[in-house]
Amino acid sequence: SEQRSRMAKALFTPIAISSHCRTRDSRYCSRATPENRNKTDHSVLRHLTSKIKSTGPISVAEYMREVLTNPVSGYYVNHDMLGPDGDFITSPEISQIFGELLGIWCVSEWMAAGRPKQFQLVEFGPGRGSLMSDILRVFSQLSAPLGGAEMSCHLVEVSPRLSKLQAQCLTGDQSQVSTNEDDPVYRRGTTTTGLPIYWYRRISDVPQGFSIFLAHEFFDALPIHIFQKTEKGWREVMVDVHPETEDKLRFVLLPSATLASSTLLQTDEKRRHVEVCPEGGVLIQQLACRIVEDGGAALIMDYGHDGVKTDTFRGFKAHKIHDVLAEPGTADLTADVDFSYLRRVAGDRVTCIGPISQRAFLKNMGIDTRLQVLLRHCQDPSNQAQLIQGYDILTNPEKMGERFQFFTLLNHRRKGPAPLPVAGFSELCLR
Ligand code: SAH
């Protein structure tokens, strides 16, 4: 069988993907370079090379899944990637204004839906819990308009380690871990603002009911397949062990079509190099079903494009671009979200709006006014400077303003003969 696998490998075409030298359209990176990083751990690489040696090259999707969410060695399972020694920084960590405006968005969507009695707030991949914490602060300040709603908080998080950080942030350590491994709720508690809060591993575990779903820098972490157009048709890009250096990985092209290459691509695809995220597609379909059946909305916020970009798979380590195949498990892996794909799989049972830029969304939500209010109430010049700097990073087109995108899935009932404007997606709604 070793000979067969060697022969099979000889058929794969090695290809170079320039993932280590892409800076132009990359994630926003702060200039901090943490010094005290853990020493490199080779267990993920060892696990991957032995797997590839026994069964052959793996898809990029399988590579991403193993590297990011393997229950033992996965990057998210072992890292606090947003902490002081982290690898990247995200909007909720940059400024409290971000979460506050999203809190207002959630309330506005709940009101537009006719103020249903039950109100579930669901967040996917909440990181350190900062976004949810800022939203909950807004909710507690808006207790009068929200009065009477039965509110609850639901977090979908694969990493037990991050769920603990989230619980510290949101409940002040008032949470309990389930002792039964089969329990879909693996942690529960009460938020510091008095709401019931639950942690799950996947969306199917979240109870049905009117929900506002939030996903911030979540879809970009879901595994992608990569395809390349060749003279013989579409072929899938795979990850293989380097033939000369056993502890190095390289990309190769599969010699023949696969189920993935024949089912995941559009027949009229114009690009020659395409990334597809079927897990993201399945999640969108689940969200669309729930929104149709129970009402609600989903807001997806991510680095992304509308079906035009080709090569966005990359790694981040200590706030710098990192070769996606080097030292797997020690760096974050991400691929820009293809919103045209999400819109297509959502189908026409729901209304999709966007993507629009973070700058446009936050301006529509009143970020300029909010900044002025905060500045007026804040005496300390260094806090003022921090507020202004945060505003700049979020909205400046050269920073996150244009690269970061907002996309929403809504219940059709909003559509009617005179469709209601949707907060954040049109300027009108705040007037
Ligand atoms: N939303 C946060 C964190 C983004 S990092 C922020 O913007 O700051 C991605 C988050 O998604 C982490 O919390 C990670 O543990 C979680 N995650 C990644 N893949 C996941 C999956 N397949 N299922 C559930 N959670 C996942």
Side-chain angles (χ1 to χ4, degrees), residues 52-209:
I52 293 170
K53 277 186 203 155
S54 61
T55 56
I58 56 172
S59 67
V60 174
E62 190 173 351
Y63 175 74
M64 254 181 116
R65 194 175 301 116
E66 283 292 340
V67 170
L68 294 181
T69 58
N70 178 296
V72 180
S73 52
Y75 171 78
Y76 289 125
V77 179
N78 289 302
H79 284 75
D80 170 15
M81 64 286 171
L82 298 156
D85 294 334
D87 294 310
F88 57 99
I89 185 147
T90 62
S91 302
E93 307 292 328
I94 289 169
S95 174
Q96 67 177 79
I97 306 182
F98 185 83
E100 291 169 350
L101 296 177
L102 283 189
I104 295 170
W105 190 86
C106 296
V107 175
S108 133
E109 277 314 297
W110 170 77
M111 289 171 118
R115 302 172 186 249
K117 181 118 189 85
Q118 187 194 14
F119 183 174
Q120 300 192 144
L121 182 58
V122 185
E123 188 184 353
F124 295 94
R128 294 173 68 96
S130 311
L131 174 60
M132 188 52 90
S133 155
D134 291 332
I135 292 179
L136 293 179
R137 197 176 55 250
V138 169
F139 281 13
S140 63
Q141 282 160 5
L142 293 177
S143 53
L146 281 169
E150 272 166 33
M151 301 200 50
S152 53
C153 226
H154 306 262
L155 306 181
V156 179
E157 173 56 68
V158 73
S159 162
R161 177 181 171 140
L162 286 174
S163 80
K164 195 169 169 204
L165 266 182
Q166 292 152 14
Q168 276 161 3
C169 169
L170 299 168
T171 69
D173 252 351
Q174 294 303 302
S175 73
Q176 301 86 45
V177 177
S178 173
T179 45
N180 175 0
E181 273 198 17
D182 298 328
D183 193 346
V185 181
Y186 69 86
R187 184 188 281 277
R188 69 180 73 222
T190 306
T191 68
T192 49
T193 60
L195 301 182
I197 183 165
Y198 310 91
W199 277 262
Y200 314 84
R201 294 174 194 88
R202 57 194 77 86
I203 185 182
S204 50
D205 294 336
V206 179
Q208 293 214 217

Side-chain angles (χ1 to χ4, degrees), residues 232-244:
K232 291 188 228 118
W234 287 100
R235 294 292 181 264
E236 182 160 5
V237 174
M238 311 289 278
V239 176
D240 195 6
V241 178
H242 204 281
E244 283 116 47

Side-chain angles (χ1 to χ4, degrees), residues 400-414:
M400 294 181 81
E402 293 294 333
R403 279 183 256 163
F404 206 76
Q405 307 278 310
F406 281 61
F407 177 82
T408 184
L409 244 61
L410 300 165
N411 190 304
H412 264 335
R413 260 171 289 166
R414 297 190 47 123

